[in-house]
Amino acid sequence: MRTLRPLLLALLIAVGFIFYTSARRPQPSGSSSSSPTSWFTGDKNLELTQAAGPENLDPEETVNVNVYKKAVPSVVNIKSRAVSYNFFYGLVPEEGQGTGFILDKEGHILTNYHVIANAQKVEVTLYNRKTVTAQVVGADRHYDLAVLKIDTPSLMPVTLGDSRGLQVGMKVFAIGNPFGLSGTMTRGIVSSIRSVRGPSGDSIDEAIQTDAAINPGNSGGPLLNSRGEVVGINSMIFTGGAEQSAGIGFAIPINTAKAVLNDLVTFGRVRRPSLGVSGLPIGPELAEQMGLASDYGVLIMQVNPGSAADRAGLHGGNERALLGNTPIMLGGDLIVAIDGETVEDMQDLSNALNKHKAGDSVTVTVYRGKKKIDMKVSLGEARTA
């Protein structure tokens, strides 16, 4: 009996040990995506809930991913290098970064003028991380647009959309190089369509305001619709002095760029249209004092010799007068519309002309005395400084 007790005791200890270790072993979770798994970690259990496998994208995620995959191979990073002089006339190297996108397989790239302004050297880094030197083939400060050219094979151009159909509330996506972080996409909506002042102080008509995050380095990159088509060129942000996105960014409408791309590539500049007149904006009070047939419009004071207006037969003023202390000329034609669009002041006149290019024919509606006349005018080219 005494010899059996040690054996029974050893057997009980062995059975107890096997039972204890079996009870603490993790059990298989099966196919459930929400079954807890118990892992032995010393004297504690860590329970993790594991998914059964990758889940399908929801419709919104699918749009996001598709837009990115379609557009990102066409987006490039731009690095510009310039040299300035310090107080002691020493050379100071300057470097800027921005974004652009490929227009065609010939290597034309669209970006902002301010990204490459005054640059002595421009380098472009492609989606495949290859860096090549770019040539500036055309630039326009007024539109804040520039076209570069690179010589490299197998390029993937973007698809250009139509910015006329944009509505407030539509989804838009920005892809660019914010703070040097290449291939970054942000998403938002069209917040508004409005005229704003560009970096050069010129007006950008029908600029696209968006809350998609746009930061330094995004300039020149594409603003895309939900089909991955370019509808704008990201250009400016309103920062309130914070030097970063405040949820108010602006893009140049792609239709504005499409209207001048041929000039930029062919002539290296935009042949901006000109009527060739100096005018005076007219309101109801002035119209009444002058006895004009309309209480709004632009009164032509002078027609430049040889200009588009001169060739079309528009009349300037022939009677000197003073408006306060300012000398003016009365008796000229009063412009009230161009191509059926009302012209109330010089800004309206400028906006109407900027929808065309030099050589285009427009219909100018004027009052000559009390008679309303439609005149065909072939626009000239504005002189550039």
Side-chain angles (χ1 to χ4, degrees), residues 290-355:
M290 298 177 181
L292 300 176
S294 172
D295 61 0
Y296 66 87
V298 172
L299 182 66
I300 300 177
M301 293 193 296
Q302 182 179 350
V303 173
N304 298 332
S307 66
D310 188 26
R311 293 193 301 271
L314 289 169
H315 291 178
N318 53 15
E319 181 183 347
R320 296 181 181 275
L322 286 176
L323 182 62
N325 294 323
T326 304
I328 60 173
M329 296 293 292
L330 303 179
D333 293 336
L334 178 65
I335 301 174
V336 293
I338 291 182
D339 283 342
E341 294 188 17
T342 300
V343 172
E344 296 186 357
D345 52 32
M346 293 301 293
Q347 185 63 53
D348 285 347
L349 181 62
S350 176
N351 292 343
L353 294 179
N354 285 336
K355 294 178 181 178

Side-chain angles (χ1 to χ4, degrees), residues 99-328:
T99 306
F101 50 92
I102 300 168
L103 292 171
D104 55 27
K105 291 185 178 294
E106 283 68 44
H108 291 106
I109 294 170
L110 184 62
T111 186
N112 284 142
Y113 170 84
H114 72 262
V115 170
I116 54 85
N118 304 317
Q120 275 85 45
K121 184 177 182 180
V122 179
E123 290 182 336
V124 168
T125 301
L126 304 172
Y127 175 66
N128 61 8
R129 299 186 180 180
K130 179 182 179 181
T131 298
V132 294
T133 300
Q135 175 190 2
V136 180
V137 298
D140 188 89
R141 181 177 178 180
H142 172 80
Y143 288 101
D144 193 25
L145 294 173
V147 175
L148 314 180
K149 178 78 163 55
I150 58 175
D151 185 14
T152 190
S154 304
L155 296 174
M156 295 185 63
V158 296
T159 301
L160 300 183
D162 186 349
S163 54
R164 286 179 302 179
L166 290 178
Q167 300 179 49
V168 173
M170 292 177 66
K171 290 180 182 177
V172 286
F173 305 81
I175 300 181
N177 183 37
F179 301 109
L181 301 173
S182 61
T184 297
M185 183 173 83
T186 55
R187 187 188 69 170
I189 63 170
V190 176
S191 303
S192 180
I193 305 291
R194 67 174 78 245
S195 294
V196 297
R197 292 288 176 185
S200 65
D202 293 307
S203 175
I204 299 176
D205 299 323
E206 298 181 344
I208 306 163
Q209 181 183 329
T210 179
D211 63 349
I214 298 174
N215 286 289
N218 273 113
S219 289
L223 188 71
L224 306 137
N225 61 20
S226 57
R227 295 184 296 277
E229 301 164 344
V230 179
V231 294
I233 304 102
N234 300 317
S235 183
M236 299 182 299
I237 55 175
F238 179 81
T239 65
E243 297 293 332
Q244 61 186 14
S245 175
I248 301 177
F250 295 97
I252 301 167
I254 194 63
N255 285 17
T256 297
K258 287 193 289 188
V260 299
L261 276 177
N262 187 65
D263 275 3
L264 288 173
V265 173
T266 305
F267 303 103
R269 57 184 172 82
V270 175
R271 297 180 301 162
R272 192 163 294 108
S274 171
L275 194 58
V277 300
S278 58
L280 175 71
I282 296 297
E285 186 176 344
L286 274 180
E288 184 178 359
Q289 292 177 4
M290 298 177 181
L292 300 176
S294 172
D295 61 0
Y296 66 87
V298 172
L299 182 66
I300 300 177
M301 293 193 296
Q302 182 179 350
V303 173
N304 298 332
S307 66
D310 188 26
R311 293 193 301 271
L314 289 169
H315 291 178
N318 53 15
E319 181 183 347
R320 296 181 181 275
L322 286 176
L323 182 62
N325 294 323
T326 304
I328 60 173

